[in-house]
Amino acid sequence: MGTNASAVDHQLHHCNISNAVTYDVLSGIIAGQFLLGLPLNLSVLYIFIFRFKFWKNKSVFLFNIVVADFLLVACLPFKAYSYQLGQRRSPKDWMCKAMLFMLFLNRGASVAFLVTLSLDRYFNVVHLGRRNFVMVLKKSPEISGVIWLLLLPLTIPTMVKSFECCNSYGRDDHDITDTFREIVFFSQIVIPFVVILYCTVRIVHRLRKKTVGEKARLRRAMCVVVAVAVLFSVCFLPCAVARAALLFVRLKEWQEAEVVAVQVYDALMVLSFTDCLLDPLVYCFCHSSFKDAYLNAFCPAFLHKRLRKADTATTTITTTTTTSAGRSVSLPMVEKLQV
């Protein structure tokens, strides 16, 4: 009994915060993210279901990102409360495991659907007119359920056993579960980032080579494809780099450096929670109809008119017409890029 209590105390010691001021600030940031994210995502959910009717607009993947964001928003108050208690994790193992499970599931779902959106846009721009597997998948709502089910085997290991601060890799007692969890963490970020970066570069290159259409509309199209890459780079990539640095100094047993690395990692992890605030921007870039529905529902009338007037001034042409072999062909510049 005494040995078990000693082991628990040893585990919780590593979970104590080393700088109260830093974690008070992080707790305040998380509280702000929750206060902004909850009404924002509720309003987005309302638009998707009652105004935009996502199932009719082939936006099932976007709706699933909304669901993933709700998983994240639900975790934020508990994370902020732990920081206020002076702990990097909840003292209760079940709460710690549940939190990490939700965070892993949210991250995996967000990344999976963002990658799917990027691939769909890649095929629609670079391989326009060719039938592709992503186009087939997005027309089937059941595929979204399959993606969620495939994420479970990658997330369940967070629930298998008790682990120090919910990430014990690098300690003397780490095992295959900890190793697998770290592999999943990095693979969920590094591999999708490479795919998204490749798709973005190819799409931007393709759009720059086009000689038809307005420059303003081409710039808008490039914003559509770059938005996902920017969000990914800001929210997910920094915490992966910080996590790698933390594991490196822990394995090297540089204790003073580890104290700093832990704070940097936790701060960048909090930054990654901002994706629940930035995702609605992606929805607006991906589908102009969603933006119009959102503005009609929540934007004041006078401001809505000004925004519509500015948007009309920069995009006065919906299609561009070119002549090929005596035929007139209408080429939509934006509609092809909507998901």
Side-chain angles (χ1 to χ4, degrees):
M1 183 71 176
T3 303
N4 292 335
S6 177
V8 172
D9 291 340
H10 176 69
Q11 289 182 356
L12 292 178
H13 172 71
H14 289 294
C15 302
N16 291 330
I17 63 177
S18 56
N19 189 324
V21 176
T22 298
Y23 285 88
D24 283 342
V25 173
L26 293 180
S27 177
I29 293 174
I30 294 174
Q33 291 171 332
F34 175 75
L35 292 176
L36 293 174
L38 183 62
L40 176 62
N41 283 278
L42 283 174
S43 65
V44 168
L45 184 64
Y46 168 79
I47 295 298
F48 264 109
I49 296 177
F50 297 105
R51 295 293 186 89
F52 187 58
K53 301 186 186 301
F54 67 91
W55 60 91
K56 294 182 179 179
N57 288 281
K58 300 178 182 178
S59 299
V60 176
F61 285 163
L62 292 179
F63 178 76
N64 279 273
I65 298 177
V66 179
V67 175
D69 286 340
F70 264 102
L71 294 179
L72 174 60
V73 171
C75 295
L76 295 183
F78 301 98
K79 193 70 172 178
Y81 181 68
S82 295
Y83 284 172
Q84 285 292 322
L85 292 179
Q87 294 284 333
R88 296 181 59 229
R89 55 155 279 182
S90 171
K92 300 178 180 179
D93 281 343
W94 70 267
M95 177 65 73
C96 179
K97 295 175 184 179
M99 281 285 297
L100 195 61
F101 177 83
M102 294 286 280
L103 292 174
F104 261 65
L105 190 61
N106 158 261
R107 174 147 306 166
S110 296
V111 169
F113 290 109
L114 286 173
V115 169
T116 305
L117 290 175
S118 297
L119 287 173
D120 180 71
R121 190 153 298 110
Y122 165 78
F123 284 112
N124 283 340
V125 174
V126 179
H127 302 291
L128 181 62
R130 297 182 184 177
R131 185 177 179 84
N132 61 82
F133 72 99
V134 179
M135 185 178 297
V136 175
L137 293 181
K138 76 175 184 177
K139 293 181 179 180
S140 176
E142 293 81 6
I143 297 301
S144 297
V146 172
I147 292 176
W148 283 100
L149 290 176
L150 291 177
L151 289 171
L152 290 179
L154 301 178
T155 311
I156 290 297
T158 62
M159 309 284 288
V160 170
K161 71 179 190 68
S162 179
F163 38 83
E164 182 181 14
C165 289
C166 290
N167 47 63
S168 58
Y169 190 84
R171 305 294 183 193
D172 294 335
D173 59 345
H174 75 262
D175 62 11
I176 188 64
T177 304
D178 300 308
T179 303
F180 180 73
R181 188 166 51 249
E182 299 298 337
I183 292 174
V184 170
F185 178 87
F186 287 107
S187 62
Q188 278 187 341
I189 296 177
V190 176
I191 296 176
F193 179 71
V194 173
V195 174
I196 291 173
L197 188 62
Y198 172 79
C199 292
T200 303
V201 171
R202 289 294 307 275
I203 291 169
V204 172
H205 178 69
R206 174 66 175 172
L207 291 175
R208 284 180 175 176
K209 289 176 62 177
K210 283 185 175 292
T211 58
V212 296
E214 294 179 297
K215 289 185 178 180
R217 188 164 289 280
L218 290 176
R219 284 195 297 268
R220 181 179 177 182
M222 282 190 285
C223 286
V224 173
V225 298
V226 169
V228 174
V230 171
L231 184 148
F232 199 92
S233 300
V234 170
C235 294
F236 300 135
L237 197 60
C239 66
V241 175
R243 180 68 184 167
L246 172 58
L247 294 180
F248 177 78
V249 298
R250 180 179 292 172
L251 291 172
K252 290 291 185 180
E253 297 183 353
W254 297 342
Q255 295 183 358
E256 293 183 1
E258 182 179 348
V259 172
V260 177
V262 165
Q263 295 180 60
V264 173
Y265 169 69
D266 286 341
L268 291 177
M269 183 61 74
V270 170
L271 174 65
S272 73
F273 299 159
T274 311
D275 75 308
C276 68
L277 302 177
L278 298 180
D279 280 339
L281 295 178
V282 176
Y283 310 150
C284 292
F285 281 131
C286 287
H287 219 306
S288 59
S289 298
F290 169 82
K291 181 186 70 174
D292 293 338
Y294 195 92
L295 292 177
N296 284 328
F298 298 107
C299 190
F302 72 94
L303 184 58
H304 183 214
K305 290 181 179 179
R306 289 189 177 185
L307 292 174
R308 287 294 300 271
K309 185 182 294 184
D311 187 60
T312 303
T314 56
T315 57
T316 55
I317 301 177
T318 303
T319 61
T320 184
T321 304
T322 185
T323 302
S324 175
R327 293 184 304 160
S328 181
V329 182
S330 181
L331 300 175
M333 300 301 295
V334 173
E335 287 74 10
K336 286 289 185 182
L337 297 175
Q338 294 176 343
V339 178

